[in-house]
C-alpha cells in the first residue's frame, strides 16, 4: 500500500533528492503537500508531476503566480506562514522537513505536534529550539528520523544497540573547500569559490556553512539533542573524502562507521524506507578507486565556528538560537558581497557577546529571540569593523 508524504521545501536540494527517490518508487508514495518559499513555476510543475493535493508558497506575493500555474489542475494553492504550518499539520505517514533556516521552525513544530514520522532535514529546528522540539516530540508521540548525512549515519550505527553503551560519537567533516588555505588566503576567498564544495551538491546557505565549518558546529548541537551521550563525548574530525559519514565508539572500543557515496539520496532513502531499506539508482561505493581515507583534527584557529558552537551549547539559555540567527544574517551578507568570508564567524561571535536571553520555553519566545538576534547582527554589520 502506498504511503502518504508531505514535503516541506520541495524546490531545495533536499527536496529535489527526495523527489528523485519518489520518482524511482512511484507506486510506494502518494504526495499530499509540497511547499516552497516562492519558485511558483517550479513548485506548480512538481505538484502536477506528483499529483499533490496542495501546493504552498511561504511568500504570499508568489501565490497569484502559483494559482495561475496550477490553473485547471484541481490542485489547491495556498500561501503564507500559516499556510505552511497548515500543510505541515496534514495527516500523512511521513513529513520531510527540509525548509532551510529558521523559516522552517514553525512548520516543523506543526508537523511534530500532529504526531507521526518526521524526516528532519532542518537543522535549525534543533539548534534554536532543541529542548522545545524534543518535548513536543515526546508529548505527541512523534518519531524523528535524522536526515543529515552525519546524524543519519549515527542513527544507523546505533541500530540495535543501547545508547548507554556508547563511549563516544564522532562527527566527520569534509573540512570544506578551504581547509588547506592559510589565514591570509582565507581573507580573499570569493563567493564563487565558497560555493564550490569539493564533495557535495547543496544549497547556497549550507554550502557556505560547510566552508566556514559552521555546519559542523550546528551539527554538534544537533547531535547533543538527538543522541544524549553528553557534550564531552561528541567529537569532530575532518575527513576530506566524505566517505565515512560519522562513527560511534562503544564501551568496548569497537567503532562502527557508516560509509556511502557523497549523495544525500543515501540518508534520505534510509529515512523513507525506515525500518527497512530501499533500492537507489546510485553507483556502488568503490573503495579501491577512492584509494585512501584520511582523518585530521579540525583547525579551530582558522575555522573557529566549531568552537563558537560548542561554547554556545555549553552556555545554554538562548545562545544557540542567537548563534543560528546571527549566522544566517552573516552568511547572507557574505553572499551579497557585503563582508569578507572570514568575517562571517566574527559577526556571529560579536552578536553572542552583545546579546543574551534566558532559555526560551515556547516557540514564540524562540522566534522573538531570533528576531532580536538578527537585529543585533545587522547592527554589528553596519559598524566599520565588519567589512
Amino acid at each position: 500500500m502506498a504511503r502518504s508524504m508531505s514535503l516541506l521545501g520541495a524546490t531545495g536540494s533536499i527536496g529535489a533528492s527526495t523527489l528523485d527517490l519518489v520518482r524511482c518508487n512511484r507506486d510506494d508514495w502518494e504526495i499530499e503537500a509540497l511547499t516552497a518559499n516562492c519558485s511558483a513555476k517550479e513548485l506548480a510543475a512538481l505538484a502536477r508531476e506528483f499529483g499533490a493535493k496542495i501546493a504552498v508558497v511561504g511568500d504570499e506575493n508568489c501565490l497569484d503566480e502559483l494559482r495561475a500555474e496550477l490553473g485547471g489542475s484541481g490542485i489547491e494553492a495556498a500561501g503564507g506562514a500559516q499556510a505552511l504550518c497548515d500543510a505541515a499539520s496534514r495527516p500523512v505517514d511521513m513529513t520531510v522537513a527540509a525548509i532551510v533556516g529558521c523559516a522552517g521552525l514553525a512548520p516543523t513544530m506543526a508537523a511534530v505536534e500532529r504526531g507521526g514520522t518526521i524526516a528532519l532535514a532542518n537543522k535549525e529546528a534543533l539548534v534554536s529550539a532543541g529542548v522545545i522540539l524534543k518535548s513536543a516530540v515526546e508529548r505527541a508521540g512523534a518519531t524523528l528520523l535524522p536526515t543529515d548525512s552525519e546524524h543519519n549515519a549515527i542513527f544507523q550505527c546505533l541500530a540495535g544497540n543501547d545508547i548507554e553503551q556508547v563511549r563516544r560519537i564522532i562527527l566527520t567533516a569534509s573540512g570544506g573547500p578551504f581547509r588547506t588555505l592559510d589565514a591570509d588566503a582565507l581573507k580573499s576567498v570569493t563567493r564563487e569559490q565558497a560555493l564550490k564544495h569539493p564533495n557535495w551538491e547543496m544549497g547556497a546557505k549550507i554550502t557556505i556553512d560547510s566552508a566556514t565549518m559552521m555546519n559542523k558546529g550546528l551539527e554538534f548541537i544537533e547531535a547533543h539533542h538527538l543522541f544524549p551521550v553528553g557534550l564531552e563525548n561528541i567529537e569532530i574530525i575532518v575527513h576530506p573524502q566524505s566517505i565515512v559519514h560519522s562513527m560511534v565508539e562503544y564501551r568496548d572500543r569497537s567503532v562502527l562507521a557508516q560509509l556511502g557515496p557523497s549523495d544525500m539520496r543515501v540518508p534520505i532513502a534510509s529515512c523513507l524506507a525506515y525500518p527497512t531499506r530501499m533500492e537507489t539508482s546510485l553507483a556502488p561505493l568503490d573503495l579501491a578507486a577512492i584509494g585512501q581515507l584520511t582523518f585530521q583534527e579540525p583547525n579551530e584557529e582558522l575555522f573557529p565556528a566549531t568552537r563558537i558552537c560548542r561554547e554556545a551549547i555549553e552556555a545554554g539559555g538562548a545562545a544557540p538560537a542567537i548563534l543560528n540567527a546571527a549566522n544566517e544574517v552573516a552568511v547572507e551578507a557574505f553572499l551579497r558581497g557585503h563582508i569578507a568570508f572570514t568575517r562571517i564567524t566574527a559577526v556571529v561571535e560579536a552578536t553572542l557577546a552583545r546579546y543574551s536571553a534566558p532559555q526560551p520555553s515556547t516557540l514564540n519566545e524562540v522566534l522573538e529571540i531570533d528576531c532580536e538576534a538578527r537585529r543585533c547582527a545587522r547592527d554589528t554589520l553596519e559598524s566599520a569593523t565588519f567589512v
Side-chain angles (χ1 to χ4, degrees):
M1 183 179 296
R3 300 167 68 200
S4 56
M5 175 195 295
S6 288
L7 174 51
L8 314 179
T11 59
S13 60
I14 297 295
S17 293
T18 302
L19 291 175
D20 184 66
L21 291 169
V22 173
R23 282 189 188 94
C24 296
N25 300 271
R26 288 298 294 267
D27 293 338
D28 295 339
W29 294 100
E30 293 179 354
I31 301 300
E32 176 75 17
L34 296 176
T35 83
N37 180 47
C38 188
S39 305
K41 187 173 183 178
E42 182 182 0
L43 180 63
L46 292 172
R48 287 177 179 273
E49 177 186 355
F50 290 95
K53 295 179 181 177
I54 185 172
V56 181
V57 283
D59 185 345
E60 286 188 86
N61 294 323
C62 304
L63 180 54
D64 287 344
E65 182 184 1
L66 179 63
R67 284 177 172 149
E69 293 289 341
L70 288 174
S73 68
I75 299 170
E76 183 182 352
Q82 184 57 50
L84 287 177
C85 291
D86 291 343
S89 298
R90 289 189 169 221
V92 290
D93 294 309
M94 175 168 288
T95 302
V96 179
I99 298 175
V100 175
C102 199
L105 220 172
T108 300
M109 187 66 76
V112 165
E113 290 175 341
R114 181 193 57 78
T117 301
I118 298 92
L120 184 65
N122 173 278
K123 60 172 47 66
E124 292 80 6
L126 277 171
V127 171
S128 296
V131 174
I132 297 167
L133 185 69
K134 286 168 58 181
S135 295
V137 167
E138 292 177 6
R139 286 197 308 272
T143 299
L144 279 187
L145 298 177
T147 304
D148 268 353
S149 62
E150 295 80 3
H151 302 99
N152 185 264
I154 295 164
F155 185 72
Q156 293 191 51
C157 291
L158 287 171
N161 292 287
D162 185 350
I163 198 166
E164 296 295 327
Q165 300 298 315
V166 172
R167 183 186 293 271
R168 197 168 45 131
I169 284 174
I170 305 166
L171 291 167
T172 56
S174 70
F178 309 129
R179 63 183 178 80
T180 61
L181 299 187
D182 60 23
D184 288 336
L186 280 176
K187 293 176 183 177
S188 59
V189 160
T190 67
R191 178 185 187 276
E192 289 69 28
Q193 291 172 324
L195 287 173
K196 291 181 180 178
H197 195 281
N199 301 334
W200 296 91
E201 292 184 10
M202 305 177 290
K205 195 266 181 183
I206 194 172
T207 302
I208 301 303
D209 281 348
S210 181
T212 63
M213 289 285 286
M214 183 63 75
N215 193 46
K216 206 53 51 181
L218 298 178
E219 288 171 4
F220 180 92
I221 297 174
E222 276 188 282
H224 165 68
H225 289 299
L226 288 169
F227 312 111
V229 298
L231 288 170
E232 69 280 5
N233 297 319
I234 304 173
E235 299 179 10
I236 296 170
I237 192 166
V238 173
H239 168 51
Q241 293 83 15
S242 294
I243 297 299
V244 177
H245 296 297
S246 277
M247 296 172 270
V248 174
E249 180 183 78
Y250 288 89
R251 291 175 62 187
D252 60 2
R253 297 299 186 185
S254 294
V255 178
L256 302 189
Q258 187 267 334
L259 283 70
S262 302
D263 192 306
M264 282 304 297
R265 285 174 291 181
V266 174
I268 295 170
S270 171
C271 291
L272 296 189
Y274 180 80
T276 61
R277 298 279 177 172
M278 66 189 295
E279 291 281 346
T280 74
S281 60
L282 297 172
L285 190 64
D286 189 340
L287 290 175
I290 293 165
Q292 61 179 338
L293 303 177
T294 59
F295 304 90
Q296 62 194 64
E297 293 290 334
N299 185 341
E300 291 191 338
E301 183 176 345
L302 289 182
F303 299 95
T306 51
R307 171 186 57 79
I308 295 168
C309 289
R310 187 171 59 252
E311 290 173 354
I313 189 61
E314 287 172 350
I322 295 166
L323 175 146
N324 180 71
N327 181 61
E328 288 191 25
V329 170
V331 168
E332 180 64 23
F334 170 72
L335 289 171
R336 292 179 179 274
H338 297 163
I339 59 171
F341 176 79
T342 52
R343 308 312 282 164
I344 296 173
T345 49
V347 170
V348 174
E349 197 157 27
T351 304
L352 284 165
R354 294 176 60 185
Y355 173 52
S356 63
Q359 175 74 49
S361 58
T362 66
L363 180 60
N364 284 339
E365 289 178 4
V366 173
L367 296 175
E368 289 171 3
I369 289 166
D370 178 86
C371 184
E372 180 60 22
R374 289 171 190 271
R375 184 199 63 76
C376 185
R378 293 188 184 101
D379 287 347
T380 300
L381 283 168
E382 291 176 3
S383 69
T385 308
F386 292 94
V387 294

